């Protein structure tokens, strides 16, 4: 177990620390990383053993598939389903792209149809994937090094999310290979989750979890 403390002057990890983060996830180990909301516990999303380790540490079953953090809007092109309809892009993909362009990086998680060619086993997703780009320089630095990561809030299921590294280590200790300490979480509030695959009685996408981005702000973009 290692704890890397972000350099207060540069606000970044060193190249050797980034390499250690990358090596850990490539070995199906777990990371705890800072985000713009709360600390997250992370694994690679494409290795079943790593995802199972993540869910086991969290104390969750496959009924609670973790979201995936990405480094930018461009990730939608490979991760989401994009069937053309009479030569036009699929409406769900276009809606996801509008929301991501408007609110990323930031506290909005978007659930849409996953690219069926991915072959990732994140749990009982029903063919969907939840994506977000965090608005945190260290998180983005890590994602640029590792690629997309399956990330869920750093806490045991049902417990308060960790907003500092001491809370995260108290939850997981040696279950995690690398902890990245960037101080207190900026907001401590989880992201808003919008599910584009489900509509409410008014025909609007369902807000699966309320957060910093309001339903009115989402409707204004869609």
């Amino acid at each position: 177990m290692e704890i890397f403390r972000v350099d207060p002057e540069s606000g970044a990890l060193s190249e050797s620390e980034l390499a250690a983060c990358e090596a850990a996830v490539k070995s199906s180990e777990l990371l705890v990383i800072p985000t713009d909301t709360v600390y997250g516990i992370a694994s690679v999303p494409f290795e079943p053993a790593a995802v199972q380790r993540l869910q086991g540490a969290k104390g969750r079953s496959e009924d609670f598939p973790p979201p995936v953090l990405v480094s930018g809007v461009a990730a939608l092109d490979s991760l989401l389903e994009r069937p053309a309809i009479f030569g036009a892009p699929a409406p769900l993909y276009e809606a996801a792209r509008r929301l991501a362009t408007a609110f990323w990086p930031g506290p909005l998680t978007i659930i849409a149809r996953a690219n069926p060619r991915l072959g990732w086993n994140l749990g009982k997703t029903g063919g969907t994937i939840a994506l977000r780009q965090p608005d945190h320089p260290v998180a983005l630095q890590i994602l640029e090094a590792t690629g997309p990561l399956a990330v869920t809030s750093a806490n045991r299921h049902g417990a308060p999310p960790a907003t500092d590294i001491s809370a995260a280590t108290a939850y997981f200790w040696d279950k995690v290979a690398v902890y990245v300490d960037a101080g207190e979480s900026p907001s401590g509030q989880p992201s808003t989750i919008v599910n584009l695959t489900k509509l409410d009685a008014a025909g609007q996408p369902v807000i699966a979890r309320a957060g910093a981005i309001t339903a009115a702000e989402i409707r204004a973009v869609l």
Side-chain angles (χ1 to χ4, degrees), residues 1-6 31-35 38-41 138 142 154 161-173 176 178-185:
M1 185 185 81
E2 296 183 277
I3 299 177
F4 298 147
R5 289 181 171 83
V6 173
L31 307 178
V32 162
I33 66 173
T35 77
V38 295
Y39 274 82
I41 182 170
V138 177
I142 293 168
T163 57
D164 58 38
I165 209 68
S166 63
T169 55
Y171 282 132
F172 304 118
W173 194 239
V176 168
V178 176
Y179 292 85
V180 178
D181 183 1
E184 188 79 17
S185 297

PDB file of all heavy atoms in Angstrom, residues 1-6 31-35 38-41 138 142 154 161-173 176 178-185:
ATOM      1  N   MET A   1       0.841  -1.196   0.000  1.00  0.00           N
ATOM      2  CA  MET A   1       0.000   0.000   0.000  1.00  0.00           C
ATOM      3  C   MET A   1       0.878   1.248   0.000  1.00  0.00           C
ATOM      4  O   MET A   1       1.822   1.350   0.778  1.00  0.00           O
ATOM      5  CB  MET A   1      -0.905   0.018   1.231  1.00  0.00           C
ATOM      6  CG  MET A   1      -1.885   1.177   1.241  1.00  0.00           C
ATOM      7  SD  MET A   1      -2.837   1.272   2.776  1.00  0.00           S
ATOM      8  CE  MET A   1      -1.671   2.093   3.850  1.00  0.00           C
ATOM      9  N   GLU A   2       0.563   2.184  -0.905  1.00  0.00           N
ATOM     10  CA  GLU A   2       1.297   3.433  -0.991  1.00  0.00           C
ATOM     11  C   GLU A   2       0.331   4.608  -0.915  1.00  0.00           C
ATOM     12  O   GLU A   2      -0.821   4.504  -1.382  1.00  0.00           O
ATOM     13  CB  GLU A   2       2.073   3.528  -2.298  1.00  0.00           C
ATOM     14  CG  GLU A   2       3.170   2.489  -2.462  1.00  0.00           C
ATOM     15  CD  GLU A   2       3.933   2.686  -3.742  1.00  0.00           C
ATOM     16  OE1 GLU A   2       3.435   2.202  -4.779  1.00  0.00           O
ATOM     17  OE2 GLU A   2       5.009   3.322  -3.718  1.00  0.00           O
ATOM     18  N   ILE A   3       0.790   5.707  -0.332  1.00  0.00           N
ATOM     19  CA  ILE A   3       0.020   6.947  -0.310  1.00  0.00           C
ATOM     20  C   ILE A   3       0.861   8.027  -0.975  1.00  0.00           C
ATOM     21  O   ILE A   3       1.968   8.335  -0.525  1.00  0.00           O
ATOM     22  CB  ILE A   3      -0.355   7.379   1.126  1.00  0.00           C
ATOM     23  CG1 ILE A   3      -1.226   6.308   1.791  1.00  0.00           C
ATOM     24  CG2 ILE A   3      -1.100   8.716   1.098  1.00  0.00           C
ATOM     25  CD1 ILE A   3      -1.584   6.626   3.239  1.00  0.00           C
ATOM     26  N   PHE A   4       0.344   8.590  -2.075  1.00  0.00           N
ATOM     27  CA  PHE A   4       1.020   9.678  -2.768  1.00  0.00           C
ATOM     28  C   PHE A   4       0.318  10.983  -2.408  1.00  0.00           C
ATOM     29  O   PHE A   4      -0.911  11.096  -2.579  1.00  0.00           O
ATOM     30  CB  PHE A   4       0.977   9.481  -4.277  1.00  0.00           C
ATOM     31  CG  PHE A   4       1.680   8.251  -4.756  1.00  0.00           C
ATOM     32  CD1 PHE A   4       1.213   7.562  -5.857  1.00  0.00           C
ATOM     33  CD2 PHE A   4       2.821   7.776  -4.116  1.00  0.00           C
ATOM     34  CE1 PHE A   4       1.865   6.421  -6.313  1.00  0.00           C
ATOM     35  CE2 PHE A   4       3.476   6.636  -4.559  1.00  0.00           C
ATOM     36  CZ  PHE A   4       2.989   5.960  -5.658  1.00  0.00           C
ATOM     37  N   ARG A   5       1.077  11.940  -1.938  1.00  0.00           N
ATOM     38  CA  ARG A   5       0.507  13.251  -1.609  1.00  0.00           C
ATOM     39  C   ARG A   5       0.821  14.229  -2.722  1.00  0.00           C
ATOM     40  O   ARG A   5       1.982  14.396  -3.114  1.00  0.00           O
ATOM     41  CB  ARG A   5       1.044  13.732  -0.262  1.00  0.00           C
ATOM     42  CG  ARG A   5       0.469  12.908   0.896  1.00  0.00           C
ATOM     43  CD  ARG A   5       0.947  13.345   2.268  1.00  0.00           C
ATOM     44  NE  ARG A   5       0.188  12.645   3.298  1.00  0.00           N
ATOM     45  CZ  ARG A   5       0.471  11.414   3.731  1.00  0.00           C
ATOM     46  NH1 ARG A   5       1.503  10.752   3.213  1.00  0.00           N
ATOM     47  NH2 ARG A   5      -0.275  10.836   4.646  1.00  0.00           N
ATOM     48  N   VAL A   6      -0.220  14.856  -3.243  1.00  0.00           N
ATOM     49  CA  VAL A   6      -0.067  15.775  -4.364  1.00  0.00           C
ATOM     50  C   VAL A   6       0.804  16.951  -3.942  1.00  0.00           C
ATOM     51  O   VAL A   6       0.615  17.537  -2.870  1.00  0.00           O
ATOM     52  CB  VAL A   6      -1.447  16.269  -4.852  1.00  0.00           C
ATOM     53  CG1 VAL A   6      -1.301  17.344  -5.909  1.00  0.00           C
ATOM     54  CG2 VAL A   6      -2.253  15.081  -5.388  1.00  0.00           C
ATOM     55  N   LEU A  31      -7.164   1.771  -6.870  1.00  0.00           N
ATOM     56  CA  LEU A  31      -6.682   3.102  -6.512  1.00  0.00           C
ATOM     57  C   LEU A  31      -7.763   3.829  -5.739  1.00  0.00           C
ATOM     58  O   LEU A  31      -8.952   3.573  -5.936  1.00  0.00           O
ATOM     59  CB  LEU A  31      -6.378   3.943  -7.759  1.00  0.00           C
ATOM     60  CG  LEU A  31      -5.466   3.421  -8.851  1.00  0.00           C
ATOM     61  CD1 LEU A  31      -5.389   4.457  -9.971  1.00  0.00           C
ATOM     62  CD2 LEU A  31      -4.097   3.125  -8.300  1.00  0.00           C
ATOM     63  N   VAL A  32      -7.369   4.760  -4.894  1.00  0.00           N
ATOM     64  CA  VAL A  32      -8.288   5.774  -4.369  1.00  0.00           C
ATOM     65  C   VAL A  32      -7.780   7.106  -4.893  1.00  0.00           C
ATOM     66  O   VAL A  32      -6.603   7.451  -4.712  1.00  0.00           O
ATOM     67  CB  VAL A  32      -8.360   5.766  -2.837  1.00  0.00           C
ATOM     68  CG1 VAL A  32      -8.958   7.080  -2.310  1.00  0.00           C
ATOM     69  CG2 VAL A  32      -9.218   4.597  -2.351  1.00  0.00           C
ATOM     70  N   ILE A  33      -8.657   7.844  -5.580  1.00  0.00           N
ATOM     71  CA  ILE A  33      -8.254   9.082  -6.222  1.00  0.00           C
ATOM     72  C   ILE A  33      -9.182  10.223  -5.827  1.00  0.00           C
ATOM     73  O   ILE A  33     -10.357  10.008  -5.487  1.00  0.00           O
ATOM     74  CB  ILE A  33      -8.235   8.939  -7.753  1.00  0.00           C
ATOM     75  CG1 ILE A  33      -9.648   8.703  -8.310  1.00  0.00           C
ATOM     76  CG2 ILE A  33      -7.299   7.816  -8.184  1.00  0.00           C
ATOM     77  CD1 ILE A  33      -9.722   8.728  -9.831  1.00  0.00           C
ATOM     78  N   PRO A  34      -8.681  11.471  -5.868  1.00  0.00           N
ATOM     79  CA  PRO A  34      -9.555  12.616  -5.610  1.00  0.00           C
ATOM     80  C   PRO A  34     -10.399  12.927  -6.833  1.00  0.00           C
ATOM     81  O   PRO A  34     -10.000  12.641  -7.966  1.00  0.00           O
ATOM     82  CB  PRO A  34      -8.548  13.746  -5.350  1.00  0.00           C
ATOM     83  CG  PRO A  34      -7.364  13.376  -6.193  1.00  0.00           C
ATOM     84  CD  PRO A  34      -7.298  11.866  -6.167  1.00  0.00           C
ATOM     85  N   THR A  35     -11.577  13.468  -6.612  1.00  0.00           N
ATOM     86  CA  THR A  35     -12.377  14.012  -7.708  1.00  0.00           C
ATOM     87  C   THR A  35     -12.926  15.358  -7.247  1.00  0.00           C
ATOM     88  O   THR A  35     -12.655  15.805  -6.135  1.00  0.00           O
ATOM     89  CB  THR A  35     -13.551  13.093  -8.117  1.00  0.00           C
ATOM     90  OG1 THR A  35     -14.619  13.210  -7.163  1.00  0.00           O
ATOM     91  CG2 THR A  35     -13.115  11.636  -8.233  1.00  0.00           C
ATOM     92  N   VAL A  38     -16.324  13.784  -4.395  1.00  0.00           N
ATOM     93  CA  VAL A  38     -15.777  13.089  -3.221  1.00  0.00           C
ATOM     94  C   VAL A  38     -14.636  12.195  -3.709  1.00  0.00           C
ATOM     95  O   VAL A  38     -14.404  12.061  -4.910  1.00  0.00           O
ATOM     96  CB  VAL A  38     -16.857  12.233  -2.516  1.00  0.00           C
ATOM     97  CG1 VAL A  38     -17.955  13.114  -1.947  1.00  0.00           C
ATOM     98  CG2 VAL A  38     -17.446  11.184  -3.471  1.00  0.00           C
ATOM     99  N   TYR A  39     -13.911  11.580  -2.786  1.00  0.00           N
ATOM    100  CA  TYR A  39     -12.880  10.629  -3.199  1.00  0.00           C
ATOM    101  C   TYR A  39     -13.545   9.407  -3.816  1.00  0.00           C
ATOM    102  O   TYR A  39     -14.663   9.010  -3.430  1.00  0.00           O
ATOM    103  CB  TYR A  39     -12.010  10.219  -2.007  1.00  0.00           C
ATOM    104  CG  TYR A  39     -10.867  11.168  -1.767  1.00  0.00           C
ATOM    105  CD1 TYR A  39     -11.060  12.354  -1.064  1.00  0.00           C
ATOM    106  CD2 TYR A  39      -9.591  10.907  -2.263  1.00  0.00           C
ATOM    107  CE1 TYR A  39     -10.012  13.251  -0.859  1.00  0.00           C
ATOM    108  CE2 TYR A  39      -8.539  11.783  -2.063  1.00  0.00           C
ATOM    109  CZ  TYR A  39      -8.756  12.956  -1.363  1.00  0.00           C
ATOM    110  OH  TYR A  39      -7.721  13.841  -1.178  1.00  0.00           O
ATOM    111  N   GLY A  40     -12.856   8.812  -4.801  1.00  0.00           N
ATOM    112  CA  GLY A  40     -13.381   7.637  -5.463  1.00  0.00           C
ATOM    113  C   GLY A  40     -12.423   6.467  -5.349  1.00  0.00           C
ATOM    114  O   GLY A  40     -11.203   6.644  -5.249  1.00  0.00           O
ATOM    115  N   ILE A  41     -12.974   5.254  -5.367  1.00  0.00           N
ATOM    116  CA  ILE A  41     -12.166   4.040  -5.419  1.00  0.00           C
ATOM    117  C   ILE A  41     -12.293   3.498  -6.829  1.00  0.00           C
ATOM    118  O   ILE A  41     -13.397   3.424  -7.385  1.00  0.00           O
ATOM    119  CB  ILE A  41     -12.586   3.014  -4.343  1.00  0.00           C
ATOM    120  CG1 ILE A  41     -11.694   1.773  -4.390  1.00  0.00           C
ATOM    121  CG2 ILE A  41     -14.058   2.660  -4.431  1.00  0.00           C
ATOM    122  CD1 ILE A  41     -11.901   0.820  -3.210  1.00  0.00           C
ATOM    123  N   VAL A 138      -5.988  16.605 -10.736  1.00  0.00           N
ATOM    124  CA  VAL A 138      -5.256  15.375 -10.436  1.00  0.00           C
ATOM    125  C   VAL A 138      -5.997  14.160 -10.994  1.00  0.00           C
ATOM    126  O   VAL A 138      -5.384  13.251 -11.557  1.00  0.00           O
ATOM    127  CB  VAL A 138      -5.011  15.231  -8.919  1.00  0.00           C
ATOM    128  CG1 VAL A 138      -4.320  13.911  -8.601  1.00  0.00           C
ATOM    129  CG2 VAL A 138      -4.188  16.404  -8.408  1.00  0.00           C
ATOM    130  N   ILE A 142      -4.489  11.563 -13.776  1.00  0.00           N
ATOM    131  CA  ILE A 142      -4.475  10.105 -13.632  1.00  0.00           C
ATOM    132  C   ILE A 142      -5.183   9.441 -14.805  1.00  0.00           C
ATOM    133  O   ILE A 142      -4.685   8.460 -15.379  1.00  0.00           O
ATOM    134  CB  ILE A 142      -5.116   9.698 -12.290  1.00  0.00           C
ATOM    135  CG1 ILE A 142      -4.232  10.163 -11.126  1.00  0.00           C
ATOM    136  CG2 ILE A 142      -5.338   8.187 -12.227  1.00  0.00           C
ATOM    137  CD1 ILE A 142      -4.904  10.071  -9.777  1.00  0.00           C
ATOM    138  N   ALA A 154     -15.634   6.513  -2.549  1.00  0.00           N
ATOM    139  CA  ALA A 154     -14.750   5.767  -1.646  1.00  0.00           C
ATOM    140  C   ALA A 154     -15.380   5.628  -0.270  1.00  0.00           C
ATOM    141  O   ALA A 154     -15.165   6.441   0.632  1.00  0.00           O
ATOM    142  CB  ALA A 154     -13.387   6.453  -1.551  1.00  0.00           C
ATOM    143  N   PRO A 161     -19.607   9.000   2.012  1.00  0.00           N
ATOM    144  CA  PRO A 161     -18.443   9.032   1.122  1.00  0.00           C
ATOM    145  C   PRO A 161     -17.255   9.707   1.788  1.00  0.00           C
ATOM    146  O   PRO A 161     -17.410  10.637   2.584  1.00  0.00           O
ATOM    147  CB  PRO A 161     -18.940   9.855  -0.074  1.00  0.00           C
ATOM    148  CG  PRO A 161     -20.426   9.798  -0.012  1.00  0.00           C
ATOM    149  CD  PRO A 161     -20.767   9.709   1.440  1.00  0.00           C
ATOM    150  N   ALA A 162     -16.057   9.235   1.465  1.00  0.00           N
ATOM    151  CA  ALA A 162     -14.835   9.827   2.007  1.00  0.00           C
ATOM    152  C   ALA A 162     -14.571  11.171   1.333  1.00  0.00           C
ATOM    153  O   ALA A 162     -14.557  11.264   0.104  1.00  0.00           O
ATOM    154  CB  ALA A 162     -13.655   8.895   1.786  1.00  0.00           C
ATOM    155  N   THR A 163     -14.332  12.194   2.134  1.00  0.00           N
ATOM    156  CA  THR A 163     -13.981  13.504   1.600  1.00  0.00           C
ATOM    157  C   THR A 163     -12.531  13.872   1.901  1.00  0.00           C
ATOM    158  O   THR A 163     -12.087  14.962   1.562  1.00  0.00           O
ATOM    159  CB  THR A 163     -14.923  14.601   2.149  1.00  0.00           C
ATOM    160  OG1 THR A 163     -14.860  14.592   3.584  1.00  0.00           O
ATOM    161  CG2 THR A 163     -16.356  14.362   1.699  1.00  0.00           C
ATOM    162  N   ASP A 164     -11.804  12.969   2.550  1.00  0.00           N
ATOM    163  CA  ASP A 164     -10.361  13.140   2.722  1.00  0.00           C
ATOM    164  C   ASP A 164      -9.721  11.757   2.754  1.00  0.00           C
ATOM    165  O   ASP A 164     -10.404  10.730   2.844  1.00  0.00           O
ATOM    166  CB  ASP A 164     -10.015  13.961   3.972  1.00  0.00           C
ATOM    167  CG  ASP A 164     -10.556  13.358   5.256  1.00  0.00           C
ATOM    168  OD1 ASP A 164     -10.544  12.117   5.403  1.00  0.00           O
ATOM    169  OD2 ASP A 164     -10.995  14.123   6.135  1.00  0.00           O
ATOM    170  N   ILE A 165      -8.407  11.731   2.680  1.00  0.00           N
ATOM    171  CA  ILE A 165      -7.721  10.452   2.527  1.00  0.00           C
ATOM    172  C   ILE A 165      -7.760   9.619   3.802  1.00  0.00           C
ATOM    173  O   ILE A 165      -7.749   8.386   3.751  1.00  0.00           O
ATOM    174  CB  ILE A 165      -6.264  10.676   2.060  1.00  0.00           C
ATOM    175  CG1 ILE A 165      -5.798   9.468   1.227  1.00  0.00           C
ATOM    176  CG2 ILE A 165      -5.328  10.927   3.215  1.00  0.00           C
ATOM    177  CD1 ILE A 165      -6.493   9.341  -0.104  1.00  0.00           C
ATOM    178  N   SER A 166      -7.846  10.260   4.963  1.00  0.00           N
ATOM    179  CA  SER A 166      -7.908   9.484   6.206  1.00  0.00           C
ATOM    180  C   SER A 166      -9.193   8.682   6.286  1.00  0.00           C
ATOM    181  O   SER A 166      -9.187   7.529   6.752  1.00  0.00           O
ATOM    182  CB  SER A 166      -7.771  10.412   7.423  1.00  0.00           C
ATOM    183  OG  SER A 166      -8.838  11.329   7.489  1.00  0.00           O
ATOM    184  N   ALA A 167     -10.300   9.265   5.826  1.00  0.00           N
ATOM    185  CA  ALA A 167     -11.564   8.520   5.803  1.00  0.00           C
ATOM    186  C   ALA A 167     -11.476   7.348   4.829  1.00  0.00           C
ATOM    187  O   ALA A 167     -11.965   6.245   5.111  1.00  0.00           O
ATOM    188  CB  ALA A 167     -12.716   9.444   5.424  1.00  0.00           C
ATOM    189  N   ALA A 168     -10.831   7.572   3.679  1.00  0.00           N
ATOM    190  CA  ALA A 168     -10.708   6.505   2.680  1.00  0.00           C
ATOM    191  C   ALA A 168      -9.859   5.348   3.200  1.00  0.00           C
ATOM    192  O   ALA A 168     -10.217   4.182   3.032  1.00  0.00           O
ATOM    193  CB  ALA A 168     -10.123   7.071   1.392  1.00  0.00           C
ATOM    194  N   THR A 169      -8.740   5.666   3.842  1.00  0.00           N
ATOM    195  CA  THR A 169      -7.887   4.587   4.361  1.00  0.00           C
ATOM    196  C   THR A 169      -8.579   3.834   5.494  1.00  0.00           C
ATOM    197  O   THR A 169      -8.379   2.630   5.653  1.00  0.00           O
ATOM    198  CB  THR A 169      -6.529   5.131   4.843  1.00  0.00           C
ATOM    199  OG1 THR A 169      -6.742   6.170   5.805  1.00  0.00           O
ATOM    200  CG2 THR A 169      -5.719   5.684   3.682  1.00  0.00           C
ATOM    201  N   ALA A 170      -9.409   4.544   6.261  1.00  0.00           N
ATOM    202  CA  ALA A 170     -10.156   3.864   7.327  1.00  0.00           C
ATOM    203  C   ALA A 170     -11.137   2.849   6.740  1.00  0.00           C
ATOM    204  O   ALA A 170     -11.373   1.790   7.332  1.00  0.00           O
ATOM    205  CB  ALA A 170     -10.892   4.896   8.175  1.00  0.00           C
ATOM    206  N   TYR A 171     -11.690   3.155   5.575  1.00  0.00           N
ATOM    207  CA  TYR A 171     -12.621   2.226   4.934  1.00  0.00           C
ATOM    208  C   TYR A 171     -11.896   1.012   4.335  1.00  0.00           C
ATOM    209  O   TYR A 171     -12.378  -0.117   4.446  1.00  0.00           O
ATOM    210  CB  TYR A 171     -13.386   2.920   3.808  1.00  0.00           C
ATOM    211  CG  TYR A 171     -14.514   3.810   4.257  1.00  0.00           C
ATOM    212  CD1 TYR A 171     -14.641   5.104   3.746  1.00  0.00           C
ATOM    213  CD2 TYR A 171     -15.475   3.373   5.165  1.00  0.00           C
ATOM    214  CE1 TYR A 171     -15.685   5.932   4.135  1.00  0.00           C
ATOM    215  CE2 TYR A 171     -16.524   4.195   5.561  1.00  0.00           C
ATOM    216  CZ  TYR A 171     -16.624   5.472   5.042  1.00  0.00           C
ATOM    217  OH  TYR A 171     -17.658   6.286   5.435  1.00  0.00           O
ATOM    218  N   PHE A 172     -10.756   1.238   3.675  1.00  0.00           N
ATOM    219  CA  PHE A 172     -10.200   0.190   2.814  1.00  0.00           C
ATOM    220  C   PHE A 172      -8.819  -0.329   3.220  1.00  0.00           C
ATOM    221  O   PHE A 172      -8.470  -1.440   2.890  1.00  0.00           O
ATOM    222  CB  PHE A 172     -10.131   0.708   1.365  1.00  0.00           C
ATOM    223  CG  PHE A 172     -11.448   1.171   0.830  1.00  0.00           C
ATOM    224  CD1 PHE A 172     -11.627   2.494   0.437  1.00  0.00           C
ATOM    225  CD2 PHE A 172     -12.518   0.306   0.721  1.00  0.00           C
ATOM    226  CE1 PHE A 172     -12.832   2.935  -0.059  1.00  0.00           C
ATOM    227  CE2 PHE A 172     -13.737   0.723   0.230  1.00  0.00           C
ATOM    228  CZ  PHE A 172     -13.904   2.055  -0.162  1.00  0.00           C
ATOM    229  N   TRP A 173      -8.015   0.498   3.812  1.00  0.00           N
ATOM    230  CA  TRP A 173      -6.653   0.167   4.229  1.00  0.00           C
ATOM    231  C   TRP A 173      -5.917  -0.609   3.137  1.00  0.00           C
ATOM    232  O   TRP A 173      -5.750  -0.097   2.018  1.00  0.00           O
ATOM    233  CB  TRP A 173      -6.650  -0.558   5.577  1.00  0.00           C
ATOM    234  CG  TRP A 173      -5.276  -0.614   6.210  1.00  0.00           C
ATOM    235  CD1 TRP A 173      -4.573  -1.723   6.565  1.00  0.00           C
ATOM    236  CD2 TRP A 173      -4.442   0.508   6.544  1.00  0.00           C
ATOM    237  NE1 TRP A 173      -3.345  -1.375   7.096  1.00  0.00           N
ATOM    238  CE2 TRP A 173      -3.246  -0.009   7.093  1.00  0.00           C
ATOM    239  CE3 TRP A 173      -4.576   1.893   6.409  1.00  0.00           C
ATOM    240  CZ2 TRP A 173      -2.189   0.796   7.517  1.00  0.00           C
ATOM    241  CZ3 TRP A 173      -3.536   2.703   6.832  1.00  0.00           C
ATOM    242  CH2 TRP A 173      -2.366   2.155   7.391  1.00  0.00           C
ATOM    243  N   VAL A 176      -6.545  -1.447  -0.991  1.00  0.00           N
ATOM    244  CA  VAL A 176      -6.206  -0.518  -2.067  1.00  0.00           C
ATOM    245  C   VAL A 176      -4.685  -0.449  -2.201  1.00  0.00           C
ATOM    246  O   VAL A 176      -3.976  -0.331  -1.198  1.00  0.00           O
ATOM    247  CB  VAL A 176      -6.799   0.881  -1.780  1.00  0.00           C
ATOM    248  CG1 VAL A 176      -6.237   1.938  -2.715  1.00  0.00           C
ATOM    249  CG2 VAL A 176      -8.322   0.823  -1.881  1.00  0.00           C
ATOM    250  N   VAL A 178      -2.890   1.912  -4.112  1.00  0.00           N
ATOM    251  CA  VAL A 178      -2.375   3.288  -4.146  1.00  0.00           C
ATOM    252  C   VAL A 178      -3.477   4.260  -3.748  1.00  0.00           C
ATOM    253  O   VAL A 178      -4.574   4.235  -4.323  1.00  0.00           O
ATOM    254  CB  VAL A 178      -1.845   3.667  -5.543  1.00  0.00           C
ATOM    255  CG1 VAL A 178      -1.411   5.137  -5.561  1.00  0.00           C
ATOM    256  CG2 VAL A 178      -0.702   2.758  -5.960  1.00  0.00           C
ATOM    257  N   TYR A 179      -3.181   5.100  -2.765  1.00  0.00           N
ATOM    258  CA  TYR A 179      -4.049   6.217  -2.378  1.00  0.00           C
ATOM    259  C   TYR A 179      -3.396   7.514  -2.872  1.00  0.00           C
ATOM    260  O   TYR A 179      -2.191   7.715  -2.680  1.00  0.00           O
ATOM    261  CB  TYR A 179      -4.199   6.309  -0.857  1.00  0.00           C
ATOM    262  CG  TYR A 179      -4.977   5.180  -0.218  1.00  0.00           C
ATOM    263  CD1 TYR A 179      -4.354   3.991   0.129  1.00  0.00           C
ATOM    264  CD2 TYR A 179      -6.331   5.327   0.063  1.00  0.00           C
ATOM    265  CE1 TYR A 179      -5.062   2.964   0.735  1.00  0.00           C
ATOM    266  CE2 TYR A 179      -7.050   4.305   0.678  1.00  0.00           C
ATOM    267  CZ  TYR A 179      -6.413   3.126   1.010  1.00  0.00           C
ATOM    268  OH  TYR A 179      -7.112   2.117   1.612  1.00  0.00           O
ATOM    269  N   VAL A 180      -4.199   8.396  -3.464  1.00  0.00           N
ATOM    270  CA  VAL A 180      -3.704   9.694  -3.907  1.00  0.00           C
ATOM    271  C   VAL A 180      -4.370  10.769  -3.053  1.00  0.00           C
ATOM    272  O   VAL A 180      -5.589  10.944  -3.095  1.00  0.00           O
ATOM    273  CB  VAL A 180      -3.996   9.934  -5.400  1.00  0.00           C
ATOM    274  CG1 VAL A 180      -3.516  11.331  -5.814  1.00  0.00           C
ATOM    275  CG2 VAL A 180      -3.317   8.861  -6.248  1.00  0.00           C
ATOM    276  N   ASP A 181      -3.564  11.468  -2.283  1.00  0.00           N
ATOM    277  CA  ASP A 181      -4.052  12.448  -1.317  1.00  0.00           C
ATOM    278  C   ASP A 181      -3.926  13.852  -1.899  1.00  0.00           C
ATOM    279  O   ASP A 181      -2.817  14.360  -2.094  1.00  0.00           O
ATOM    280  CB  ASP A 181      -3.241  12.335  -0.025  1.00  0.00           C
ATOM    281  CG  ASP A 181      -3.732  13.271   1.073  1.00  0.00           C
ATOM    282  OD1 ASP A 181      -4.719  13.999   0.846  1.00  0.00           O
ATOM    283  OD2 ASP A 181      -3.112  13.268   2.152  1.00  0.00           O
ATOM    284  N   ALA A 182      -5.062  14.472  -2.184  1.00  0.00           N
ATOM    285  CA  ALA A 182      -5.078  15.849  -2.688  1.00  0.00           C
ATOM    286  C   ALA A 182      -5.796  16.785  -1.711  1.00  0.00           C
ATOM    287  O   ALA A 182      -6.290  17.838  -2.102  1.00  0.00           O
ATOM    288  CB  ALA A 182      -5.756  15.905  -4.057  1.00  0.00           C
ATOM    289  N   GLY A 183      -5.865  16.392  -0.445  1.00  0.00           N
ATOM    290  CA  GLY A 183      -6.522  17.226   0.548  1.00  0.00           C
ATOM    291  C   GLY A 183      -8.023  17.016   0.587  1.00  0.00           C
ATOM    292  O   GLY A 183      -8.545  16.023   0.059  1.00  0.00           O
ATOM    293  N   GLU A 184      -8.711  17.935   1.213  1.00  0.00           N
ATOM    294  CA  GLU A 184     -10.170  17.853   1.369  1.00  0.00           C
ATOM    295  C   GLU A 184     -10.862  17.951   0.019  1.00  0.00           C
ATOM    296  O   GLU A 184     -10.452  18.712  -0.859  1.00  0.00           O
ATOM    297  CB  GLU A 184     -10.649  18.990   2.272  1.00  0.00           C
ATOM    298  CG  GLU A 184     -12.108  18.905   2.676  1.00  0.00           C
ATOM    299  CD  GLU A 184     -12.372  17.905   3.798  1.00  0.00           C
ATOM    300  OE1 GLU A 184     -11.402  17.512   4.483  1.00  0.00           O
ATOM    301  OE2 GLU A 184     -13.542  17.534   3.986  1.00  0.00           O
ATOM    302  N   SER A 185     -11.921  17.151  -0.170  1.00  0.00           N
ATOM    303  CA  SER A 185     -12.698  17.214  -1.408  1.00  0.00           C
ATOM    304  C   SER A 185     -13.293  18.601  -1.596  1.00  0.00           C
ATOM    305  O   SER A 185     -13.765  19.214  -0.627  1.00  0.00           O
ATOM    306  CB  SER A 185     -13.827  16.183  -1.389  1.00  0.00           C
ATOM    307  OG  SER A 185     -13.314  14.874  -1.338  1.00  0.00           O
TER     308      SER A 185
END
